[in-house]
DNA sequence: CTGAAAGCGCTAACAC
DNA sequence: GTGTTAGCGCTTTCAG
């Protein structure tokens, strides 16, 4: 047997150091070699027992399993990954775990990953594109099978180029960059994607408002530089246009996707006396802020003002009245994201030219926050400035 | 200069195969060897350049960095971890990412991990202790520097023993199991912990209710088998006892930590005509459900009924009236969890006997959901069964 | 400051 | 069925 080929190991150590460690916090973890020795078999057999991918005599197997148990053996996933098998990891990058929009998608990703016997690396960028890039790199270093990028992206040229570079690197290594809820990087870039009908949802809900008789609709929130916000605004405008309602720049009030923005801006607008009968908040969070401002100003929903949101996260049902909004299949998107990445080029190379994009639908959920504008009701004055 | 010492590389390839792979999806990732070759240095130098942990001539460094860039080199974290350095990973196990209670803690863990230049493995057990155990194992395989177990644990003997075994295994390997918001496993078990004053918070808020004049307080929700729920109920009982209020079993209605439970059970209780003037929901989610039931039954908060919760998650502020509740330093707990794990025995072995437990405080946040009971107001009838 | 070489722990041919 | 033996890609003494 060829062990001890050098003068370095195993034995108590000639000079008193070299083999320290048995004293304090950790007596060297057991390895396949230890297990093999104890069970009187080769390391190959131990490996076979663990992976159950090869016939092993029942008796042998038992001996090996006993040895593993007795030694408290735990495989080293890194060694395993190094030796060739996949790291069985999928990475997910969101801007904020606290935000239900991301949390639901993350849940889908985590569940699908777990179902596929993989672990999930999760990172939060806190909205910083630079961190996003850095995290992709980190996950690449970890050799994640897929890296899921969630949510709207900044519309920046240099940033996109950088992203494309990372996507190519990942692809070259057999991993996939998944764009979940954000636009593709272009045909040349090897990514897969899962989108939802963002523009369509916005169109539908604005149309819903118009159908109820609203013409002066305030569009509130959504960072102008974010793809998500851009698409929602686009859908909103299209609905207006289709119905022949002239666009009014004053009624477009983009801003952060935050409750604070919704509250603050709405308060200001109310004070300034801007005229409108309905509000389309770019997402439910903004709507929650707006609702609070409205409440404090004594404006009743939906009597004096209609309000709708986007995303259909839980807060939509906690608001009073319950919020009419656009539902996105958040969790499903997460699941599909990993599915599409793992089947899109791994083995079943079934005509997925590296850039497969899945598109899921959205639909509006009608609750109690919309009514016909007062002004169209016979005999009532419009709730204008005063 | 010693470049091209082997016959293997760079050139077009003498025999046409041997260097396969340049065609399909991945031309073999570049390795240190490739970089070293291209830069005309040894792999040791490349390593030194990457880790900046050793002096390297500026010129050499530049050549190496250029080579890395040109080759699109990305270190292999597994090889690195195998070679001895830590995996720079912390694991976190929660029951549900969607639940703000867990999400906030997870955020703390993620941020602290990121600040310490580590990545975060996240798993959801969906409340299944068996999965929890399995995930700990998987994270151990990944050689996570710490594994953070979040939230209440089931009070099961066999389960705890199993957990203790895992804790010892981890510890033997130099990792730490962190109990975040759950009781210690006993002195013999090498874990670290971060708790919050669960019982104290419950005591304080029940006392708050009593101080307002309430005597018949319904305790609603909280799975009897969960440590979290047990402690909250204990605090509640202690407050009652201290004030000399007799315990009434009918007023203790444990159950799931869910909105659905809060809604359903409250609806039933109202229908049955149970008498009480205030509700202490075991957490804010349950409180939200209860609030809805109350609303639908035409019971006004806090006029006809006072309501308090626990956790102080965002929904507490979305409810109308805003919910009086107990605040837990959720995110801080997450941060401390990784801090305590990473400093409790890593290098600064400053008297942390493997079992250090940090205890953070809680405090009540008074909002608008509590008032004196109608029955104590002069001249008004109690809102009893009818 | 730089190079050579010995592993880290596991898997996967390839023998027997 | 089971053993042998190369590596996987990186870090790290130990020598220059």
């Amino acid at each position: 047997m060829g062990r001890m080929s050098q003068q370095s190991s195993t034995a108590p150590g000639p000079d008193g150091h070299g083999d320290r460690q048995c004293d304090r916090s950790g007596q060297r973890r057991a390895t396949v070699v230890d297990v093999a020795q104890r069970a009187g078999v080769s390391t190959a057999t131990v490996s076979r027992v663990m992976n159950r991918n090869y016939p092993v005599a029942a008796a042998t197997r038992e001996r090996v399993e006993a040895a593993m148990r007795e030694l408290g053996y735990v495989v080293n996933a890194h060694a395993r990954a190094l030796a060739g098998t996949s790291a069985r990891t999928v990475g997910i990058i969101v801007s904020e775990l606290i935000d239900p929009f991301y949390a639901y998608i993350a849940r889908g990703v985590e569940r699908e990953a777990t179902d596929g016997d993989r672990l999930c690396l999760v990172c939060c960028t806190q909205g910083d594109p630079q961190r996003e890039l850095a995290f992709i790199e980190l996950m690449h270093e970890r050799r994640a099978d897929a890296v899921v990028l969630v949510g709207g992206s900044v519309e920046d040229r240099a940033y996109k180029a950088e992203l494309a570079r990372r996507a190519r690197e990942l692809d070259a290594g057999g991993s996939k960059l998944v764009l979940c809820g954000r636009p593709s990087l272009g045909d040349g870039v090897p990514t897969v994607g899962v989108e939802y009908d963002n523009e369509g949802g916005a169109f539908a809900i604005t149309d819903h408002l118009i159908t109820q008789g609203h013409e002066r609709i305030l569009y509130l929130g959504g960072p102008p530089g974010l793809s998500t916000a851009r698409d929602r605004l686009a859908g909103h405008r299209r609905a207006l246009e289709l119905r022949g309602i002239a666009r009014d720049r004053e009624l477009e009030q983009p801003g952060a996707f935050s409750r604070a923005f919704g509250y603050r801006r709405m308060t200001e607008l109310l004070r300034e006396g801007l005229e409108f009968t309905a509000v389309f908040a770019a997402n439910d969070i903004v709507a929650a802020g707006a609702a609070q401002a409205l409440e404090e100003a004594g404006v009743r929903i939906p009597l004096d003002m209609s309000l709708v949101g986007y995303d259909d996260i839980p807060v939509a049902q906690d608001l009073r009245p319950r919020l009419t909004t656009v539902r996105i299949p958040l969790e499903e998107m997460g699941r599909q994201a990993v599915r599409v990445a793992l089947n899109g080029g791994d083995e079943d190379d079934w005509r997925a030219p590296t850039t497969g994009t899945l598109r899921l639908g959205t639909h509006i959920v009608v609750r109690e926050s919309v009514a016909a504008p007062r002004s169209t009701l016979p005999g009532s004055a419009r709730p204008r400035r005063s």
Side-chain angles (χ1 to χ4, degrees), chain A residues 107-239:
Chain A
R107 176 207 247 182
V109 170
E110 196 272 341
R111 291 197 172 172
E112 188 67 27
T114 297
D115 288 355
D117 218 38
R118 262 169 264 257
L119 246 33
C120 225
L121 280 169
V122 179
C123 294
C124 300
T125 64
Q126 298 177 57
D128 177 0
Q130 229 45 53
R131 295 171 76 97
E132 187 175 296
L133 260 12
F135 283 136
I136 296 175
E137 184 88 8
L138 253 19
M139 294 181 162
H140 186 175
E141 291 182 1
R142 254 67 171 192
R143 299 300 186 258
D145 301 322
V147 176
V148 184
L149 225 46
V150 183
S153 73
V154 298
E155 304 281 291
D156 176 88
R157 208 140 187 70
Y159 161 75
K160 285 194 159 182
E162 214 23 64
L163 205 50
R165 201 170 67 68
R166 296 286 203 296
R168 292 205 188 81
E169 277 182 11
L170 274 172
D171 185 69
S175 302
K176 275 277 171 280
L177 183 66
V178 189
L179 273 13
C180 187
R182 64 166 63 185
S184 154
L185 292 170
D187 282 349
V189 191
T191 60
V192 296
V194 178
E195 298 185 52
Y196 57 97
D197 189 7
N198 204 1
E199 200 266 1
F203 174 87
I205 203 150
T206 292
D207 197 60
H208 175 66
L209 252 16
I210 296 173
T211 302
Q212 301 294 308
H214 295 278
E215 300 207 337
R216 290 194 59 78
I217 303 171
L218 174 71
Y219 177 89
L220 186 70
L226 255 196
S227 60
T228 327
R230 171 176 45 60
D231 292 348
R232 291 179 189 183
L233 183 51
H236 172 68
R237 286 176 179 165
R238 182 161 64 86

Side-chain angles (χ1 to χ4, degrees), chain A residues 84-103:
Chain A
T85 75
S86 115
R88 305 223 68 88
T89 299
V90 348
I92 168 170
I93 300 176
V94 300
S95 100
E96 183 55 79
L97 263 185
I98 296 312
D99 186 330
F101 176 87
Y102 295 103

Side-chain angles (χ1 to χ4, degrees), chain A residues 218 220-221 258-267 269-270 276 279-297 299 301 305-308 319 323:
Chain A
L218 174 71
L220 186 70
S258 72
R259 180 177 179 126
F261 172 80
Y263 175 75
R264 185 165 42 70
R265 199 82 197 88
M266 180 56 98
T267 302
L269 261 17
L270 251 21
F276 51 96
V279 181
F280 174 12
N283 74 9
D284 293 347
I285 311 257
V286 172
Q292 184 179 343
L294 256 9
E295 179 189 5
E296 291 179 7
V299 180
I301 303 173
M305 182 76 73
S306 289
L307 174 66
V308 300
L319 254 23
L323 191 67

